[in-house]
Amino acid sequence: AGSHVPPADLRLHLRCTAMSSSSAPPKAVVDFVAAHSDAEVLDSGKVRCSTTGHECLPQLDVLRAHWEGKTYRKKAALVAYDFEQHAPHLVPHKQSKHLLYCTVTRQPVSRQPSAVEGHVNGKRFKRMLAEREAAQAKRSRAGAGGEEGGDEWDWEEGEEEGEEE
């Protein structure tokens, strides 16, 4: 029936039809780009997603497939998540841009919102944070003067008191 394109050749067919019509993009594509702040039209005529870096053909169905897809949703959620809300305890990892470093548990944490939430809401993090805050409160009560150690653990505190001769 007519000019049916098999699914295996659909991408090639779409690419060829997009390349053959090198005129301005259709009004629907222009409206789509205007409605999405992270979409931009390149000189080549393709549409680039600034969130994922993906370049799409200027066809409405292709654009919708990307902007409604799993990759876009996950990347947009990652960009939208505010990691600074955990700032004193979770800091950027020094060696890997894909990780955060927890100053409470001294463990690397994946920079995925679900992993960060799971870590911050976990039993071990909460227990160690409570211990840390209790130790800081104890230190601030005991030495209201100028003792060091605001945010860091004082691991040798117990050893130093018992080693004096």
Side-chain angles (χ1 to χ4, degrees), residues 138-158:
K138 180 180 175 184
R139 253 184 278 140
S140 66
R141 282 193 310 256
E147 277 193 40
E148 291 183 12
D151 279 349
E152 295 298 319
W153 282 94
D154 196 2
W155 293 101
E156 299 170 1
E157 183 177 88

Side-chain angles (χ1 to χ4, degrees), residues 112-119:
Q112 296 294 322
S114 59
V116 171
E117 289 297 326
H119 181 77

Side-chain angles (χ1 to χ4, degrees), residues 26-108:
K27 182 174 178 0
V29 172
V30 173
D31 292 342
F32 184 88
V33 170
H36 292 84
S37 62
D38 56 350
E40 59 185 357
V41 178
L42 301 176
D43 293 337
S44 64
K46 291 184 178 182
V47 178
R48 182 177 182 274
C49 173
S50 61
T51 302
T52 62
H54 184 71
E55 293 181 6
C56 302
L57 296 174
Q59 297 174 348
L60 194 57
D61 57 339
V62 174
L63 296 174
R64 282 189 180 145
H66 174 69
W67 263 265
E68 294 171 3
K70 178 180 171 182
T71 302
Y72 176 78
R73 285 194 315 264
K74 288 182 86 171
K75 189 74 170 187
L78 182 66
V79 169
Y81 189 80
D82 181 26
F83 292 105
E84 292 298 317
Q85 65 184 339
H86 308 293
H89 309 300
L90 291 174
V91 296
H93 197 274
K94 290 183 179 178
Q95 296 173 347
S96 176
K97 66 177 184 171
H98 303 287
L99 297 174
L100 297 169
Y101 180 75
C102 179
T103 59
V104 176
T105 62
R106 297 180 180 235
Q107 294 290 315

Side-chain angles (χ1 to χ4, degrees), residues 138 154-165:
K138 180 180 175 184
D154 196 2
W155 293 101
E156 299 170 1
E157 183 177 88
E159 295 174 10
E160 289 176 3
E161 292 174 3
E163 289 180 4
E164 291 180 19
E165 293 181 347

